[in-house]
Amino acid sequence: MQRATKIVATIGPASSDRDTLTRMIKAGVNVVRLNFSHGKAQDHIDRAVLVREVADACGVKVAIMADLQGPKIRVGKFENGKINLENGDKFILDADCAMGNQERVGLDYKALPRDLRGDDVLLLNDGLIVLVVERVLGNEIHTVVKIGGELSNNKGINRQGGGLSAPALTAKDMDDIKTAMSFQADYVAVSFPKNATDMEMARQLGNVAGEPFGHKPLMIAKIERAEAIPLLQEILDASDGIMVARGDLAVEVGNAAVPGLQKRMIKMARASNKLTITATQMMESMIVNAVPTRAEVSDVANAVLDGTDAVMTSAETASGKYPVETVEAMSAICLAAEKSEDCKLDADFLNLQFTRVDQSIAYGALFTAHHLRVKAIAALTESGSTALWMSRHNIDIPIFAITPNVATRQKAALFRNVRTFELAQSTDTEVVLKAVQDLLLAQGVVQKGDLIVVTWGEPIGQVGGTNALKILRVGEY
């Protein structure tokens, strides 16, 4: 059975050697995430080169996603590395403070005092420490500790309900986009976008930086700000996909709101023909344990049943003890969850109006494949759009994107229920259709006598030109 849900794995110190990365890719990694919050530019370049080499050696195409750091809204450093705050303590966040102590600490984001007023609630260290703003005096934010605890260097700051004005793209992010384009990252994940403009700017920067290489990355919006939620549709329209980034989002909107938002975001993205990645603490216990908790198994399975394109690991594979085992466990969970999925294609297409010929062909292929119970759907594609549209609907029939375009094969590694093969194009349709059958036979995904559905565009090789659909019986063509 072909696993439909894809796995995005963050690589870091625990997974950057050739042997471990090889084992992870063989275990089922489809997309490698490079976290630009850590490491130097050359570290990411070296890892990207290694990923391409290992993927080629394994005979698969793996996408690379460059995840930008975004604005650093954090406290500064302490004289002794950390302090302990008690409930009721007075504490000052001071933009001018060089080294923190028990009474005050500096700020990486110097503009924070201008964003706050009395009674605002600040959540530090992923919400473990809660401060209530009493007043703002110049560059000093005077607070009282509502929930205390240990506060150490460089811990993050969120405002409950969101609303901080820090720009999504920092100077570092702009440099990092150039670095990512130097190795033609397939995806760029933008941290903390507030609106469509943030995503449009990131896309423009990516396209300009990628132009010397003839490369245009796909853009993923990380939904982690409360103010992004009301503008979700416009952010989706300006992006190629979204990441349900549950960490910072949970701090801003509250933990209880996140499961419902996750389902809503995935549903909206699929309806908009966009990609989705579900992230944060999915297999957190496997940083130190060889098996996941039952709650983590349920979390991953529920994301699969929500229809996410991919589930993602962070520290589990970047710095944890069991990176390979994490991928193996996640793959097994996804496969098991997919067996219980409902296929509701008839309901999906009820009252749906198609506005494009290529999109109509994609949906026609799904409908035909479902009711004829064919063995495979093969989409001859240049851009990958036909396969993407097909992948927005649950179907227990594998979809194969067949293309001569390497960049398309790598990007499609993130598409739910899509596997890619390389096939040289020909202007002779009969020759190409015969080659498709031979390819699927050689790969062992069909047998002689099986029915398959094939889509293509005439003339063959034209982007956005899918206009033909044919039902073939393998071996009779």
Side-chain angles (χ1 to χ4, degrees), residues 29-198:
V29 169
N30 305 104
V31 182
V32 166
R33 171 180 176 252
L34 303 177
N35 185 358
F36 277 75
S37 294
H38 304 285
K40 298 177 181 177
Q42 192 59 48
D43 297 332
H44 300 302
I45 293 169
D46 293 344
R47 284 172 178 159
V49 170
L50 181 62
V51 168
R52 298 289 192 220
E53 289 176 356
V54 170
D56 286 344
C58 292
V60 297
K61 289 300 177 189
V62 171
I64 294 177
M65 182 172 69
D67 194 333
L68 305 178
Q69 177 177 282
K72 286 177 62 179
I73 306 176
R74 303 177 185 275
V75 300
K77 296 183 184 297
F78 292 93
E79 293 172 353
N80 298 315
K82 61 184 178 181
I83 60 169
N84 195 71
L85 294 173
E86 301 288 343
N87 293 1
D89 283 355
K90 304 287 187 179
F91 192 67
I92 300 171
L93 303 175
D94 183 355
D96 297 326
C97 177
M99 193 62 68
N101 53 37
Q102 192 64 41
E103 296 179 354
R104 66 182 65 222
V105 71
L107 296 168
D108 281 343
Y109 179 50
K110 305 299 183 183
L112 184 62
R114 295 199 293 273
D115 286 347
L116 301 177
R117 58 182 182 272
D119 294 329
D120 279 347
V121 177
L122 298 178
L123 306 154
L124 280 60
N125 193 16
D126 290 334
L128 296 178
I129 292 175
V130 180
L131 308 179
V132 179
V133 177
E134 289 189 320
R135 61 188 183 279
V136 178
L137 298 176
N139 288 332
E140 295 181 351
I141 305 163
H142 291 251
T143 73
V144 62
V145 178
K146 184 176 181 181
I147 300 177
E150 183 179 283
L151 181 62
S152 55
N153 295 340
N154 304 124
K155 293 301 181 185
I157 305 172
N158 293 81
R159 177 186 176 188
Q160 192 173 70
L164 298 182
S165 62
L169 291 166
T170 66
K172 179 184 184 304
D173 294 331
M174 295 176 190
D175 287 339
D176 287 343
I177 288 175
K178 294 177 184 176
T179 299
M181 290 308 96
S182 73
F183 54 77
Q184 293 94 67
D186 304 290
Y187 291 89
V188 173
V190 180
S191 296
F192 301 103
K194 299 189 294 293
N195 49 42
T197 303
D198 287 339

Side-chain angles (χ1 to χ4, degrees), residues 82 204 311 367 417 441:
K82 61 184 178 181
Q204 186 175 6
V311 288
F367 195 82
N417 195 29
L441 273 170

Side-chain angles (χ1 to χ4, degrees), residues 148-350:
E150 183 179 283
L151 181 62
S152 55
N153 295 340
N154 304 124
K155 293 301 181 185
I157 305 172
N158 293 81
R159 177 186 176 188
Q160 192 173 70
L164 298 182
S165 62
L169 291 166
T170 66
K172 179 184 184 304
D173 294 331
M174 295 176 190
D175 287 339
D176 287 343
I177 288 175
K178 294 177 184 176
T179 299
M181 290 308 96
S182 73
F183 54 77
Q184 293 94 67
D186 304 290
Y187 291 89
V188 173
V190 180
S191 296
F192 301 103
K194 299 189 294 293
N195 49 42
T197 303
D198 287 339
M199 296 308 301
E200 289 160 357
M201 181 181 294
R203 188 183 297 280
Q204 186 175 6
L205 290 168
N207 289 347
V208 170
E211 190 172 6
F213 309 98
H215 181 72
K216 290 185 177 181
L218 299 184
M219 310 304 297
I220 302 293
K222 296 171 67 178
I223 307 301
E224 45 196 344
R225 277 180 161 165
E227 55 264 44
I229 300 301
L231 301 176
L232 186 57
Q233 189 60 57
E234 75 165 53
I235 293 174
L236 275 167
D237 293 342
S239 310
D240 298 294
I242 59 171
M243 183 188 295
V244 186
R246 303 178 302 180
D248 282 282
L249 182 63
V251 174
E252 293 209 353
V253 304
N255 289 327
V258 171
L261 285 173
Q262 173 178 311
K263 293 178 184 300
R264 177 184 160 201
M265 283 189 268
I266 293 172
K267 184 177 180 180
M268 286 179 66
R270 282 165 65 98
S272 300
N273 292 316
K274 305 293 183 175
L275 299 162
T276 56
I277 302 168
T278 305
T280 315
Q281 294 181 327
M282 300 215 82
M283 306 284 272
E284 185 85 354
S285 72
M286 290 195 74
I287 295 172
V288 294
N289 297 321
V291 294
T293 66
R294 305 295 183 272
E296 288 164 347
V297 171
S298 294
D299 183 34
V300 173
N302 274 308
V304 171
L305 295 173
D306 287 342
T308 191
D309 283 273
V311 288
M312 192 178 100
T313 67
S314 296
E316 302 97 323
T317 51
S319 57
K321 292 182 178 179
Y322 303 100
V324 178
E325 291 84 351
T326 298
V327 176
E328 290 172 342
M330 191 170 257
S331 180
I333 296 164
C334 292
L335 274 169
E338 288 161 9
K339 290 178 182 177
S340 63
E341 282 184 326
D342 290 330
C343 181
K344 300 177 180 177
L345 281 176
D346 292 344
D348 286 357
F349 294 154
L350 193 65

Side-chain angles (χ1 to χ4, degrees), residues 414-475:
L414 182 56
F415 300 179
R416 184 183 174 98
N417 195 29
V418 174
R419 186 175 165 194
T420 69
F421 292 127
E422 184 176 2
L423 183 67
Q425 294 286 16
S426 167
T427 55
D428 188 327
T429 302
E430 302 298 309
V431 170
V432 173
L433 292 180
K434 176 68 165 58
V436 168
Q437 290 186 72
D438 292 344
L439 174 63
L440 296 181
L441 273 170
Q443 293 292 334
V445 296
V446 297
Q447 298 176 349
K448 286 187 177 181
D450 288 342
L451 283 177
I452 62 172
V453 172
V454 185
T455 65
W456 73 95
E458 293 181 339
I460 285 179
Q462 180 177 314
V463 176
T466 298
N467 57 12
L469 180 155
K470 194 160 189 172
I471 304 160
L472 302 176
R473 190 172 295 278
V474 178

